[in-house]
Amino acid sequence: MKKHSLFLLVLFLLSVTTCFAAMQLGEPLTLEEVTKVSEINQHPDQYTGKRVLIEGLIINVCAARGCWMDIASDVPFEKIQVKVVDGEIVFPLEAKGQMARVEGIVEALHLTEDQARSLAEHQAKESGGQVDLTSIKGPSTYYRIRGLGAEID
Amino acid sequence: MAWKKWNFILHRDMGYLCIGLTLLYGISGLVVNHTSHAFNPSYTIETQKSQVSPLAAGKSPDMNYIQQCLQELNVTAQFKNVTMLTPETMRIFAEGYTIDVSIASGETVTERVERRPILFAINYLHLNKGKGAWTWIADIYALAICLLALTGFLMIGGTGRRRALVLTIIGFLCPLLYLLLLQ
């Protein structure tokens, strides 16, 4: 029994220490050409449904589950959100301030005014930030990337 | 009967093997169940509002100003990066810190993130964040738990048979009733 316990302990420690070093999340990246975030933000309809590779600074990460992160655009004050299926990929909170390469599919969420407000409130809660709900008027389309794989430097 | 003896041995030894991982998954399950916007089971997150010297009008933020902000906030962690969220708000990233500075007023919001000791590691394993080899170990453990349940079921008998059956049925009814009545 002692041998079994020791084996499990060693396995546990090895898994924990080796896994922390890896910053390849989800599927391996397959695309080589990087699409600028500003390009996607400027012409979202052209990219909707398409698989893209983006890169940029991670400026925010979902504080509750690590299920999304915001990537800064190459254009000042702009960003794009990368959303993943809960649990499939978990972005570490420590990744904020690091560079990431993310591959995923651009998706469009067509939202009513209420849905847009709910989404903004939800995101503000998850990121611990604040939101100006009065700026949300009428239905809108929210573009984001459904993340499939990521590399974090 | 020989099969009963082997069933007992299998149940006993699988039980021993599963003690460590059952505790790991049990404790992690308990905290992960309560994940919310206010509670992250793997990290402690502290937010604090404070004040630094505002940036002089007409000046653009530079490394000197960033260092000054970090000094005034007593943040000695290694600087990672910086970005402008809006023309008025600068976000500084240092190891474990995210600091939003309103450059005109000097108001800051500092978020400090730290891994919870032990819980970070066991949640990491429970949620299989590392994938790879741990997926295999977790799969084997899941099968072992099923085997433990089945061999346990086969041990029902003797004087405590009625009690064992009642408890087993309650165990099955819990999820079934929840799904049928509360969903």
Side-chain angles (χ1 to χ4, degrees):
Chain A
M1 259 345 284
K2 275 185 181 173
K3 280 183 184 172
H4 282 151
S5 307
L6 193 66
F7 172 70
L8 282 177
L9 184 67
V10 170
L11 213 56
F12 173 81
L13 292 174
L14 271 178
S15 308
V16 174
T17 49
T18 53
C19 290
F20 286 167
M23 288 301 270
Q24 158 71 52
L25 303 165
E27 295 176 13
L29 306 186
T30 56
L31 300 176
E32 287 178 5
E33 191 184 339
V34 174
T35 305
K36 287 182 176 176
V37 171
S38 59
E39 177 66 17
I40 298 170
N41 282 341
Q42 265 187 333
H43 311 286
D45 291 331
Q46 284 179 23
Y47 289 96
T48 303
K50 288 187 179 161
R51 193 176 176 120
V52 293
L53 172 68
I54 60 163
E55 65 181 9
L57 180 70
I58 301 168
I59 55 172
N60 213 352
V61 174
C62 168
R65 298 177 191 276
C67 63
W68 58 260
M69 62 180 179
D70 287 337
I71 303 287
S73 170
D74 46 297
V75 168
F77 321 130
E78 283 188 9
K79 63 184 179 183
I80 195 162
Q81 186 174 84
V82 177
K83 175 77 177 83
V84 292
V85 177
D86 280 17
E88 209 169 276
I89 295 175
V90 180
F91 298 121
L93 269 180
E94 298 103 323
K96 280 198 267 189
Q98 289 172 237
M99 296 299 289
R101 289 162 63 84
V102 182
E103 198 167 305
I105 293 163
V106 179
E107 62 181 14
L109 302 180
H110 303 289
L111 307 170
T112 62
E113 187 174 321
D114 285 346
Q115 287 172 327
R117 288 183 173 188
S118 295
L119 179 70
E121 276 182 315
H122 179 74
Q123 287 176 345
K125 268 186 183 173
E126 283 188 328
S127 62
Q130 292 182 330
V131 63
D132 176 18
L133 292 177
T134 55
S135 63
I136 301 169
K137 285 177 183 147
S140 59
T141 305
Y142 180 71
Y143 296 94
R144 66 183 183 186
I145 292 175
R146 182 155 47 85
L148 301 171
E151 282 177 7
I152 297 172
D153 292 342
Chain B
M1 281 187 283
W3 75 267
K4 281 193 173 178
K5 182 188 164 194
W6 284 109
N7 186 64
F8 173 77
I9 292 169
L10 192 60
H11 184 79
R12 183 194 63 195
D13 289 355
M14 291 303 278
Y16 289 146
L17 272 172
C18 289
I19 288 172
L21 282 174
T22 303
L23 286 172
L24 184 151
Y25 277 86
I27 295 166
S28 172
L30 202 61
V31 291
V32 166
N33 262 355
H34 296 278
T35 300
S36 70
H37 299 306
F39 174 72
N40 185 311
S42 299
Y43 297 93
T44 55
I45 304 167
E46 288 171 12
T47 306
Q48 195 178 1
K49 287 185 179 176
S50 193
Q51 180 78 35
V52 294
S53 307
L55 188 67
K59 282 189 78 178
S60 295
D62 55 13
M63 273 315 290
N64 289 334
Y65 183 62
I66 293 164
Q67 292 299 344
Q68 184 188 330
C69 290
L70 292 173
Q71 267 179 7
E72 289 182 25
L73 292 168
N74 287 323
V75 174
T76 52
Q78 193 186 349
F79 170 78
K80 281 165 76 176
N81 225 319
V82 65
T83 189
M84 293 299 293
L85 296 182
T86 66
E88 300 86 27
T89 310
M90 173 175 71
R91 177 165 286 182
I92 305 170
F93 303 97
E95 286 297 338
Y97 291 86
T98 303
I99 303 155
D100 288 349
V101 183
S102 178
I103 54 174
S105 66
E107 288 171 3
T108 65
V109 178
T110 302
E111 181 194 77
R112 188 174 184 192
V113 171
E114 271 187 309
R115 291 178 179 183
R116 292 184 191 273
I118 302 171
L119 282 181
F120 178 87
I122 62 174
N123 291 338
Y124 185 91
L125 296 173
H126 180 188
L127 301 173
N128 194 16
K129 291 184 187 176
K131 312 278 181 195
W134 191 255
T135 306
W136 285 90
I137 296 166
D139 284 353
I140 292 167
Y141 169 69
L143 291 172
I145 284 288
C146 293
L147 202 60
L148 202 60
L150 290 173
T151 51
F153 185 72
L154 290 173
M155 285 164 72
I156 293 175
T159 50
R161 188 174 182 182
R162 181 183 289 235
R163 186 170 56 91
L165 281 172
V166 169
L167 291 173
T168 306
I169 288 166
I170 290 173
F172 275 104
L173 282 178
C174 276
L176 281 175
L177 286 176
Y178 175 80
L179 289 171
L180 289 171
L181 301 176
L182 298 173
Q183 288 293 295

